[in-house]
């Protein structure tokens, strides 16, 4: 059974890796990695292949950056050709990036079955490009693999056939469990020469935060404020770097001796920092889940989340910039909430998916 695993952007690699390795062990499965090329810098793509022991992609579409329509259109055109030549038995798409929706559209129109991993998440905010990608992908997929109960509920409410929905758990946690030893023995934190828990780790890349000069300015101010209390370590996403440079905000961050700027980090190095940090300030989707699993406070600079269980059950709090000062105070004084780990966030999601594919495609 030929199974295409579509990888495109940073948050995709940690979702396909555990599934690739699990499928590779099955005699009936031939997993094929298709890289659309949405992310292409060494530290936004190649580093993850090395980290997760993945082979080079079997197919590379090299689409690169562009507007939403350009990127979506380029993936559709390039992937349609591959689909026509190779006719896989199943296409697995993950997450919510433009390539996820594009590969789904190309495949379903050719009658190729699509499974969406990390289905059913909803922020209910259609100004987010990812929400549009989620809606399109879930509506069109033949199989929807959800990480948590809210995912099932969202899909049922939208009229998705119950038979298509399979709650398999959170694949991001499989990556964490799979890479535990490497993460613990990495030297990213020790190389910083600061105390364990003596820094806040920051990742920001949402257009709503970093494309608006006013919001970006407010974010820089709050980073300086946090740095007055503890170190700030900030691996800067390429979108964010471009805007910080354009708005001439990067220099003052560089000049603050308690703000440590880095290029985007590989998964193992980044997770090694997460483990040793006091808290995260982020707008990432995946980081909200990783911190909930690890029990580390996470302040999410967004008005909503498609991962509500990280707030209701985990260590995540949605914040405005105005809330951050108070929340940091709560964290540093030990008043911040403790969380727990949601069901099926256990490192066995890839195994459940393999079983599910076998049941659906191979049982007579
Ligand atoms: C994309 C996803 C977002 C995801 C994020 C993960 C969409 C709509 N957005 O956002 O959901 O959370 O990836 O990081 O699919 N760039 C580089 N090098 C790269 C990649 C990008 O320099 O390897 C720069 C380019 O200037 C590009 C910009 O970053 O125009 C944005 O890249 P793009 O993939 O369009 O969106 P992201 O903000 O990365
Ligand atoms: N991540 C990483 N290096 C970094 C920042 C994040 O490896 O410098 C990882 C992070 O641990 C998580 C994933 O990238 O597994 C999340 O990707 P991102 O925040 O880019 O996208 P989102 O999840 O918001 O779509």
């Amino acid at each position: 059974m030929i199974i295409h695993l579509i990888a495109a952007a940073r948050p995709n690699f940690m979702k396909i890796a555990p599934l690739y390795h699990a499928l590779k062990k099955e005699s009936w499965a031939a997993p094929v990695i298709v890289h659309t090329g949405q992310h292409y810098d060494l530290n936004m793509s190649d580093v993850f292949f090395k980290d997760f022991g993945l082979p080079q992609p079997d197919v590379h579409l090299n689409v690169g950056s562009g507007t939403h329509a350009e990127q979506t259109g380029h993936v559709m055109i390039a992937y349609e050709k591959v689909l026509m030549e190779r006719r896989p038995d199943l296409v697995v798409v993950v997450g919510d990036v433009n390539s996820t929706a594009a590969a789904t559209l190309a495949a379903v129109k050719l009658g190729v079955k699509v499974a969406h991993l990390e289905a059913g998440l909803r922020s209910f905010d259609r100004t987010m490009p990812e929400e549009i990608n989620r809606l399109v992908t879930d509506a069109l997929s033949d199989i929807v693999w959800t990480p948590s109960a809210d995912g099932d509920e969202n899909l049922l409410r939208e009229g998705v056939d119950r038979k298509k929905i399979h709650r398999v758990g959170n694949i991001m946690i499989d990556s964490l469990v799979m890479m535990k030893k490497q993460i613990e023995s990495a030297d990213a934190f020790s190389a910083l020469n600061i105390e364990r828990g003596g820094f806040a780790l920051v990742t920001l890349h949402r257009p709503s935060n970093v494309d608006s000069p006013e919001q970006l300015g407010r974010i820089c101010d709050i980073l300086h404020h946090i740095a007055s209390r503890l170190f700030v370590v900030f691996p800067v996403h390429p979108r964010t770097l471009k805007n910080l440079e354009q708005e001439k905000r990067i220099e003052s961050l560089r000049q603050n001796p308690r703000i440590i700027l880095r290029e985007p980090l590989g998964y193992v190095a980044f997770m090694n920092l997460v483990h040793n940090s006091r808290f995260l300030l982020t707008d990432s989707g995946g980081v909200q889940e990783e911190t909930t699993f690890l029990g580390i406070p996470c302040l999410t600079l967004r008005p909503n989340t498609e991962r509500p269980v990280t707030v209701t059950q985990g260590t995540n709090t949605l914040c405005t910039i105005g809330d951050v000062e108070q929340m940091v105070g709560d964290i540093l004084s030990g008043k911040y909430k403790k969380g727990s780990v949601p069901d099926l966030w256990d490192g066995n999601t890839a195994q459940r998916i393999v079983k599910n594919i076998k049941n659906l495609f191979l049982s007579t």
Side-chain angles (χ1 to χ4, degrees):
M1 177 173 180
I2 298 172
I3 303 174
H4 280 189
L5 303 176
I6 309 295
R10 178 165 73 186
N12 298 157
F13 306 114
M14 46 295 285
K15 291 169 197 163
I16 66 154
L19 185 54
Y20 175 83
H21 289 301
L23 286 170
K24 205 64 193 159
K25 290 194 193 126
E26 301 290 319
S27 57
W28 51 268
V32 170
I33 299 178
V34 178
H35 194 326
T36 69
Q38 178 170 343
H39 282 177
Y40 42 83
D41 288 348
L42 288 180
N43 53 23
M44 295 298 285
S45 174
D46 293 34
V47 66
F48 300 104
F49 283 79
K50 224 177 278 159
D51 272 359
F52 291 111
L54 290 171
Q56 284 307 299
D58 301 88
V59 178
H60 207 303
L61 306 179
N62 284 309
V63 298
S65 303
T67 65
H68 287 279
E70 280 167 352
Q71 207 165 52
T72 309
H74 287 150
V75 173
M76 285 182 71
I77 294 164
Y79 188 44
E80 184 182 55
K81 289 198 182 82
V82 174
L83 285 164
M84 289 197 290
E85 274 167 27
R86 301 192 174 209
R87 296 290 318 179
D89 300 293
L90 179 67
V91 174
V92 175
V93 295
V94 300
D96 53 20
V97 302
N98 284 343
S99 303
T100 309
T104 303
L105 272 161
V108 293
K109 290 204 168 187
L110 290 175
V112 177
K113 292 242 178 305
V114 173
H116 183 205
L117 173 51
E118 203 181 79
L121 301 189
R122 294 291 179 270
S123 64
F124 303 101
D125 176 358
R126 290 195 184 194
T127 66
M128 286 183 78
E130 293 81 6
E131 185 74 353
I132 308 298
N133 294 334
R134 292 180 203 118
L135 286 162
V136 168
T137 305
D138 285 339
L140 298 178
S141 292
D142 300 280
I143 305 165
V144 278
W145 288 318
T146 60
S148 43
D150 54 292
D152 300 29
E153 285 155 24
N154 292 333
L155 293 168
L156 288 170
R157 194 178 338 97
E158 288 168 16
V160 173
D161 185 346
R162 191 180 287 275
K163 290 204 264 326
K164 291 183 177 177
I165 305 172
H166 305 271
R167 197 183 319 156
V168 292
N170 191 333
I171 195 74
M172 296 286 282
I173 308 308
D174 282 38
S175 305
L176 259 180
V177 171
M178 184 172 96
M179 302 302 291
K180 191 170 187 283
K181 272 206 191 102
Q182 289 91 325
I183 291 167
E184 283 170 0
S185 57
D187 60 1
F189 163 65
S190 55
L192 292 174
N193 269 325
I194 50 184
E195 255 177 62
R196 181 156 206 266
F199 68 99
L201 183 58
V202 176
T203 82
L204 296 162
H205 69 275
R206 294 278 157 225
S208 57
N209 277 326
V210 304
D211 286 4
S212 141
E214 295 74 34
Q215 178 74 352
L216 192 63
R218 288 191 284 267
I219 285 176
C220 291
D221 293 344
I222 202 71
L223 293 183
H224 286 293
H225 169 77
I226 297 172
S228 70
R229 308 206 61 184
L230 72 176
F231 281 95
V232 169
V233 179
F234 184 9
V236 187
H237 186 283
R239 174 191 286 276
T240 310
L241 181 63
K242 209 163 78 180
N243 292 333
L244 284 169
E245 285 174 344
Q246 207 167 304
E247 296 305 316
K248 305 202 172 10
R249 291 272 179 184
I250 192 83
E251 263 325 299
S252 85
L253 295 179
R254 282 202 180 113
Q255 278 163 12
N256 187 326
R258 284 161 66 87
I259 297 182
I260 301 166
L261 299 182
R262 288 283 181 270
E263 293 203 344
L265 297 169
Y267 179 81
V268 169
F270 182 74
M271 287 313 308
N272 176 264
L273 292 187
V274 173
H275 268 269
N276 289 288
S277 68
R278 188 64 182 266
F279 68 91
L280 271 284
L281 177 71
T282 192
D283 56 16
S284 161
V287 169
Q288 296 173 55
E289 299 178 333
E290 290 160 340
T291 44
T292 274
F293 182 74
L294 296 171
I296 292 170
C298 180
L299 305 182
T300 297
L301 268 186
R302 285 178 44 188
N304 50 54
T305 178
E306 60 290 329
R307 292 155 162 98
V309 71
T310 61
V311 175
T312 53
Q313 202 179 331
T315 53
N316 188 21
T317 303
L318 300 179
C319 289
T320 63
I321 304 238
D323 301 327
V324 170
E325 208 174 318
Q326 164 82 44
M327 298 310 297
V328 171
D330 286 356
I331 292 167
L332 297 184
S333 62
K335 277 194 244 149
Y336 192 76
K337 67 176 172 178
K338 308 270 181 283
S340 62
V341 178
D343 272 356
L344 301 181
W345 292 29
D346 57 3
N348 297 319
T349 291
Q351 276 315 324
R352 284 187 285 269
I353 292 174
V354 168
K355 218 166 134 190
N356 187 243
I357 298 176
K358 255 166 110 173
N359 283 343
L360 294 173
F361 289 83
L362 304 181
S363 59
T364 45

